[in-house]
Amino acid sequence: MFKKGSVHSENWGDSGMADNSHQTDDASTDIDTDDKNQCNRVGYKEVVAIDSKDHSKVQGEDPKTLRRLAQNREAARKSRLRKKAYVQQLENSRLRLAQLEQELQQARQQGLFIATRIPSDHDRGYSVVGNGALAFDTDYAHWVEEHQSLINGLRSAVNSQMCDNELQLHVDGVMAHYEELFRLKSIGAKADVFHMLSGMWKTPAERCFMWIGGFRSSELLKIVRNQLEPLTDQQLIGIYNLQQCSQQAEDALSQGMEALQLSLLETVSSSSKGSSGSGNVAEYMGQMAIAMGKLATLENFLHQADVLRQQTLQQLQRILTTLQAACALLVINDYTSRLRALSSLWLACPKA
């Protein structure tokens, strides 16, 4: 019933995990770029070899196949541009943080505390943290309702054996809705990053399996691979390599989070030396300002984790046929629905 799919992984080397390999250096959160390069060179070596053979075969194929290849190349080009812009953004953040520390050091030497950051107009839009978290919770509840409606339409399309062109519209609709969720989370993180990372906007069972404000891409791929049949050898290789690259990126981000927590612990727990006075007050306030600067890095971690999740869904769609991609989205939805049902049962169960 399923169509034979081919692996399209030429974009992965450019966009797969590129955005997840840069951190601000103050929190010691740099991700080893060697891991990323090894993932690109080794993790996908076998798939790239397959793609190079397939590319030679499609020269005389139909325009639809050639158009898909052109779209893949354009996506890779845009990914490189996004990567360049993101790296520049991180570098600017690093320079601002270094300037902040220099100003704080001068203030401590002078026994003064100076304001180091004036909120921008954009920041004032999220000045009330509580309202920002509440707004996200409301938007997320609406997102869940709309997502369920899209999933119901996708399930009906699969059961009715709709043609690929019409089914693709349903798949694209669900994928676009996931992108809307990542956009909402980005806004929510600016309002209250702790709220987003804690997962209080999800059910208890979902929070149990959360990783940096969302699902683990590698675990989701494992679920899809085990439940989606039949898959060709090329598709199995593609999903396996995608899972390995996702795991490497997750490990790097997790290590960065641990380094940030350790750095914060050292900053907050450091005690002032010398006698009490205005100098110690200035030092205390300086330490708190440094800690606040490091906390801002949490938003970058959440953003990169969401980029990883978004790119994993996109790469999975490229590996699968239209019908398989539709079934994969249904599998993912069924998994999260069961977690929500488990939470409801647990909360309703009488406790001794």
Side-chain angles (χ1 to χ4, degrees):
M1 181 175 179
F2 294 103
K3 297 182 179 180
K4 183 177 179 181
S6 61
V7 183
H8 296 282
S9 61
E10 63 184 24
N11 294 335
W12 188 252
D14 295 310
S15 63
M17 301 302 151
D19 285 337
N20 303 285
S21 62
H22 299 282
Q23 308 292 333
T24 56
D25 61 357
D26 179 73
S28 301
T29 56
D30 288 349
I31 300 175
D32 190 355
T33 54
D34 289 337
D35 289 344
K36 180 199 71 172
N37 293 333
Q38 181 182 4
C39 170
N40 291 334
R41 293 194 303 268
V42 179
Y44 271 78
K45 181 178 180 181
E46 192 169 1
V47 183
V48 171
I50 294 173
D51 276 353
S52 63
K53 296 177 182 178
D54 291 342
H55 183 70
S56 63
K57 295 178 180 179
V58 300
Q59 297 298 327
E61 298 249 351
D62 59 282
K64 181 179 180 180
T65 302
L66 297 177
R67 185 165 55 254
R68 174 60 64 88
L69 290 175
Q71 291 173 349
N72 288 344
R73 287 192 293 270
E74 178 64 15
R77 186 187 68 82
K78 292 181 179 179
S79 175
R80 288 192 293 270
L81 293 176
R82 287 195 301 267
K83 174 186 175 182
K84 183 177 180 181
Y86 184 62
V87 170
Q88 184 61 46
Q89 179 185 0
L90 289 180
E91 178 63 18
N92 292 339
S93 298
R94 185 189 69 81
L95 293 176
R96 286 197 300 270
L97 184 56
Q99 182 181 4
L100 168 65
E101 291 184 349
Q102 183 178 4
E103 293 175 353
L104 289 173
Q105 182 64 29
Q106 294 175 353
R108 286 195 293 267
Q109 293 173 356
Q110 299 172 2
L112 301 172
F113 175 72
I114 59 175
T116 57
R117 185 174 183 271
I118 300 175
S120 63
D121 293 337
H122 182 71
D123 293 329
R124 294 190 184 97
Y126 304 100
S127 58
V128 183
V129 171
N131 289 347
L134 180 61
F136 173 80
D137 290 351
T138 302
D139 290 338
Y140 179 70
H142 293 158
W143 183 90
V144 171
E145 294 179 1
E146 185 177 352
H147 185 73
Q148 192 57 52
S149 176
L150 291 172
I151 287 295
N152 291 340
L154 179 64
R155 196 184 303 276
S156 298
V158 171
N159 293 337
S160 63
Q161 298 182 352
M162 188 173 291
C163 68
D164 281 356
N165 290 337
E166 295 180 355
L167 184 59
Q168 185 65 52
L169 295 177
H170 288 274
V171 171
D172 291 342
V174 175
M175 291 291 292
H177 201 234
Y178 272 114
E179 293 179 2
E180 173 65 12
L181 173 60
F182 297 133
R183 188 189 70 82
L184 292 175
K185 289 177 66 179
S186 178
I187 296 174
K190 290 180 174 62
D192 186 356
V193 67
F194 293 109
H195 182 72
M196 305 306 301
L197 290 174
S198 68
M200 296 305 296
W201 39 284
K202 283 183 170 290
T203 60
E206 288 178 289
R207 292 200 298 270
C208 182
F209 297 97
M210 279 189 67
W211 169 81
I212 312 186
F215 59 83
R216 281 184 176 270
S217 299
S218 58
E219 292 180 356
L220 206 65
L221 289 170
K222 186 184 300 183
I223 294 173
V224 171
R225 188 183 63 182
N226 292 338
Q227 297 191 29
L228 197 62
E229 294 181 354
L231 293 170
T232 67
D233 291 341
Q234 291 182 359
Q235 289 174 326
L236 288 172
I237 292 173
I239 295 177
Y240 174 78
N241 285 328
L242 182 59
Q243 181 181 343
Q244 293 300 306
C245 280
S246 297
Q247 184 66 62
Q248 289 184 18
E250 290 165 3
D251 291 344
L253 284 172
S254 296
Q255 292 172 8
M257 283 288 288
E258 292 175 2
L260 174 61
Q261 291 173 349
L262 179 60
S263 178
L264 272 172
L265 176 63
E266 294 174 348
T267 301
V268 175
S269 62
S270 61
S271 58
S272 301
K273 298 180 180 180
S275 59
S276 60
S278 61
N280 281 349
V281 173
E283 184 173 357
Y284 170 79
M285 296 301 293
Q287 290 170 347
M288 291 299 100
I290 292 176
M292 288 292 292
K294 292 179 179 180
L295 283 178
T297 311
L298 288 173
E299 187 180 333
N300 287 336
F301 276 107
L302 178 61
H303 170 71
Q304 293 187 49
D306 277 345
V307 168
L308 172 61
R309 287 184 270 263
Q310 184 177 9
Q311 292 183 348
T312 297
L313 291 173
Q314 292 171 349
Q315 292 296 332
L316 179 63
Q317 183 185 13
R318 294 188 181 100
I319 291 173
L320 302 175
T321 64
T322 301
L323 179 57
Q324 288 172 332
C327 292
L329 291 173
L330 294 178
V331 167
I332 294 172
N333 178 77
D334 291 344
Y335 167 68
T336 55
S337 295
R338 291 189 185 102
L339 287 179
R340 295 192 188 104
L342 181 61
S343 292
S344 299
L345 291 173
W346 172 256
L347 295 175
C349 179
K351 306 299 187 294

